Amino acid sequence: MKTRLIIFVVSLLLLPLAGLWLSDSEWHDFPADTRAAIVNPPATLLTTLMMAGYILLVNHMTTLLTGNNPIKAQRHFLTSNM
C-alpha cells in the first residue's frame, strides 16, 4: 500500500515537469501574473454533464463486469453526510 502511495505522489510531482518536457516549453513561458480566463458557462455545463455521463458509464461497466454497483453500494454514505 505504501509503495502505491509513494508512486502516486511521485507521479503527481513529476507530472508538471513531464508536461513541460512533452510540450517543449520552459518555466519562463508562463509568467506569474497571468490572469485566469473568463468562465464560460456553456463549457462548464458541458464539462459537468460529460463528467456525470462518464461516472455513470464507468458505474454501468463495473456493474456488468463484476456485478458490484459502486454507486448503490455507497448510497448510504453519500446521503448520510448531507
Side-chain angles (χ1 to χ4, degrees), residues 37-55:
I38 297 172
V39 176
N40 187 357
T44 305
L45 179 63
L46 180 63
T47 303
T48 304
L49 291 175
M50 289 178 71
M51 281 299 296
Y54 180 72
I55 289 169

Side-chain angles (χ1 to χ4, degrees), residues 8-54:
F8 176 71
V9 169
V10 168
S11 66
L12 283 179
L13 292 174
L14 294 178
L15 193 61
L17 295 174
L20 287 173
W21 179 65
L22 288 173
S23 67
D24 206 22
S25 298
E26 298 290 334
W27 284 112
H28 60 78
D29 291 343
F30 304 103
D33 63 343
T34 303
R35 303 286 182 233
I38 297 172
V39 176
N40 187 357
T44 305
L45 179 63
L46 180 63
T47 303
T48 304
L49 291 175
M50 289 178 71
M51 281 299 296
Y54 180 72

